[in-house]
Amino acid sequence: NDSIKTPILLDEKKDTGQSNLVPKVVPLSSLYSVQRVENLSGAFDQGKIFLTVKKDTGKKNLLSICEEVKQKYPRFQNLIICIYANTEIGKQLAVGLNKTFSLDEQKKSWLAMYTFNPVEGVYFDENPGGYLGSY
């Protein structure tokens, strides 16, 4: 397994001018949990992976997590990754149990969506819940 082994910063906030502080780093794999994996189509090697992360995980870290998960599942040529907050609602949505949560609850819990296919490449949306209920 050639997963990304580089630790990343937990805090993406701007420099406060205190150069003597050492940034806290952790392995990327400790920032997320895989809740569910679906095979959408065997013929097209399509898959959908549902993750949970801490709600305050920054955009750069979310994208890095998606890239690592893509490497961990090479059997999927066409991949969708949905990232939810590591809250009770987020966990329920990630495992596929929508207990009639409100649109607002779903929007707050769905943090990011990542897709990859060999033709179009990578697409990353850090606000996929913004489209819920729009149509």
Side-chain angles (χ1 to χ4, degrees):
N1 188 335
D2 293 333
S3 64
I4 299 171
K5 306 232 186 295
T6 308
I8 59 164
L9 296 176
L10 278 181
D11 187 9
E12 294 181 348
K13 294 178 184 164
K14 295 187 183 202
D15 185 18
T16 60
Q18 299 175 347
S19 60
N20 60 345
L21 293 177
V22 176
K24 184 176 180 182
V25 294
V26 297
L28 190 59
S29 60
S30 69
L31 297 180
Y32 66 91
S33 297
V34 176
Q35 300 294 327
R36 179 170 48 133
V37 177
E38 291 181 359
N39 290 312
L40 299 178
S41 169
F44 297 105
D45 301 321
Q46 294 176 320
K48 193 170 185 180
I49 301 172
F50 300 85
L51 311 174
T52 55
V53 300
K54 285 177 44 178
K55 192 169 186 162
D56 62 349
T57 302
K59 177 183 176 180
K60 289 179 186 176
N61 289 347
L62 291 174
L63 186 55
S64 295
I65 287 168
C66 291
E67 291 294 331
E68 178 174 288
V69 170
K70 181 179 103 177
Q71 288 183 7
K72 286 185 175 184
Y73 291 88
R75 71 178 184 259
F76 296 130
Q77 292 293 310
N78 300 284
L79 181 63
I80 300 169
I81 300 173
C82 294
I83 302 178
Y84 294 92
N86 192 21
T87 62
E88 191 56 40
I89 293 172
K91 289 177 187 177
Q92 295 287 323
L93 291 169
V95 297
L97 300 175
N98 184 351
K99 297 181 178 182
T100 62
F101 298 119
S102 71
L103 281 176
D104 190 47
E105 290 172 319
Q106 291 178 52
K107 287 179 183 182
K108 288 179 182 176
S109 296
W110 192 11
L111 304 179
M113 183 179 77
Y114 172 97
T115 64
F116 172 80
N117 70 64
V119 174
E120 296 170 336
V122 170
Y123 172 78
F124 180 77
D125 186 346
E126 65 186 291
N127 185 25
Y131 303 105
L132 291 175
S134 297
Y135 303 98

